[in-house]
Amino acid sequence: MKYRTFGRSGIKVSEIAFGGGNVGGILIDPDDATKRKAIRRALAGGINWIDTAAQYGNGQSEAALGWLLPESGAAPHLSTKFQLDVEKLEDIPAQIEERLKASLARLKRSSVDLLQLHNRIGPKPGGRVMTVEQILGKNGVADGLDRLREKGLIRHRGITAIGEAASVCEVIRSGRFDSAQVYYNLLNPSAARRMPAAWTGHEFTGVIEACRAHGVAVMAIRIFGAGVIATDERHGRESILVSNTTIAEEERKARAVLEAIGEGEGTRAQVALRFVLSNPDVSCAVIGSSELRHIDEALAAAERGPLPAATLARLEALYERDFAT
């Protein structure tokens, strides 16, 4: 396992982070024996960061980690997330603390290394979206997280960088946050670069540049595109977090990518992971797993390292024509 610096924190984090989310579901759906093997296999492979959220399995992911980690005898870095009710923002810091204390009870911990806002970020509030002012303004999200850090309940503050790119970048540039979970995969790498005119998808241009400029750690998420890149099998847990695309459109693009890359660079999931690890600005890639073999697959991909320059060039040609073959 290789390790990268986690933004300005100085923490050395494994370039693969273990994700406890709904799409993979390995901390939610399987029996306890499988959950135990999954955590132990990840830790044995050198993974030192585990990421979960209160929303994953309605608390089941956090609750599983509450017994799995003490039993393992290991102490990896642990991050979780909270989602605020945007219709009830009279006291944002109090709502965050309430959410965190519920998470800590499930996790059976007195603190976490990183607490992250799970709401989307945009110019207009509503649904799951919070505005820059609600996040950075007086008694907003940033102030609430600062208070929790002062109490010793969290060490670092993060956001989920989903929503409108300009608003996300404004929050990152504030210097109030230590990390960002960034949507980044080989179908949509726009967070790291400006895309060709023909390319279609949700634009995240400027997000990783802002992170780099302000020492904000980049936790790459959705690296398998909710599983669409990794497999043709559909389990019903797929979800689209962004605009300007559909499952069918993602499937079309994935087919074009696989045809262009051909064989020799690993399985579909390994190609997706190796693409993300090709970007040195990524602190870690958060992987979701549904089977034990997926963890082994990811560890083997990390050992192979980034994709070759020639393979990345073939991807560039696909972006120029919006994946037309």
Side-chain angles (χ1 to χ4, degrees):
M1 179 61 64
K2 302 178 186 71
Y3 297 84
R4 302 186 180 194
T5 303
F6 195 73
R8 59 177 177 265
S9 73
I11 295 172
K12 292 297 182 182
V13 58
S14 53
E15 58 185 9
I16 297 177
F18 183 96
N22 291 320
V23 176
I26 203 161
L27 294 184
I28 300 169
D29 299 316
D31 56 57
D32 287 352
T34 302
K35 294 172 185 173
R36 181 180 292 113
K37 289 176 182 176
I39 288 294
R40 292 186 176 183
R41 196 165 295 187
L43 295 172
I47 292 176
N48 73 351
W49 196 293
I50 296 176
D51 180 70
T52 185
Q55 286 71 37
Y56 296 162
N58 292 318
Q60 291 181 69
S61 178
E62 289 182 330
L65 289 168
W67 64 267
L68 286 165
L69 290 180
E71 182 186 270
S72 73
H77 299 290
L78 180 63
S79 54
T80 192
K81 311 177 196 73
F82 64 92
Q83 184 174 309
L84 295 179
D85 183 348
V86 297
E87 302 300 325
K88 300 176 181 179
L89 295 180
E90 297 83 7
D91 191 339
I92 291 175
Q95 193 180 155
I96 297 174
E97 184 163 357
E98 177 185 5
R99 298 283 198 275
L100 174 60
K101 287 183 174 178
S103 289
L104 292 176
R106 288 188 289 268
L107 291 164
K108 294 182 171 57
R109 292 172 64 103
S110 59
S111 67
V112 290
D113 295 285
L114 171 66
L115 182 63
Q116 304 157 99
L117 175 68
H118 212 180
N119 293 72
R120 300 168 188 262
I121 301 172
K124 297 180 180 179
R128 286 181 53 189
V129 177
M130 296 190 70
T131 66
V132 173
E133 175 60 26
Q134 289 169 333
I135 295 169
L136 300 180
K138 185 177 180 181
N139 290 322
V141 172
D143 282 353
L145 291 175
D146 284 347
R147 293 175 196 176
L148 294 177
R149 190 169 62 168
E150 290 167 3
K151 293 180 178 182
L153 298 176
I154 67 173
R155 293 174 182 81
H156 303 285
R157 308 148 300 175
I159 61 169
T160 303
I162 300 292
E164 188 220 23
S167 298
V168 169
C169 288
E170 187 174 349
V171 171
I172 291 169
R173 288 193 294 265
S174 72
R176 302 290 301 275
F177 294 89
D178 305 299
S179 69
Q181 292 214 330
V182 179
Y183 191 105
Y184 183 66
N185 61 45
L186 51 70
L187 305 185
N188 185 342
S190 64
R193 49 166 295 171
R194 193 167 297 280
M195 300 302 292
W199 178 86
T200 57
H202 188 114
E203 287 277 0
F204 286 109
T205 305
V207 171
I208 289 182
E209 180 182 358
C211 288
R212 180 174 62 249
H214 295 274
V216 174
V218 174
M219 302 177 75
I221 61 171
R222 290 298 171 121
I223 68 171
F224 302 134
V228 170
I229 301 171
T231 178
D232 285 329
E233 297 178 10
R234 298 291 164 261
H235 45 54
R237 297 190 300 273
E238 296 86 4
S239 61
I240 297 293
L241 297 183
V242 294
S243 62
N244 301 331
T245 194
T246 62
I247 290 289
E249 180 68 356
E250 298 286 282
E251 289 174 335
R252 177 188 74 84
K253 293 178 178 180
R255 285 192 296 270
V257 165
L258 295 168
E259 181 180 331
I261 291 177
E263 299 180 357
E265 300 300 344
T267 67
R268 294 169 57 157
Q270 288 175 328
V271 168
L273 177 54
R274 293 179 66 197
F275 171 81
V276 171
L277 296 181
S278 299
N279 188 336
D281 288 326
V282 170
S283 299
C284 60
V286 182
I287 64 162
S289 307
S290 58
E291 300 178 29
L292 293 172
R293 64 181 177 86
H294 294 162
I295 300 169
D296 297 331
E297 201 174 335
L299 293 171
E303 188 173 354
R304 292 188 67 174
L307 289 174
T311 302
L312 296 174
R314 288 198 290 275
L315 289 173
E316 187 63 35
L318 284 179
Y319 302 147
E320 293 281 355
R321 54 180 186 266
D322 197 30
F323 301 88
T325 57

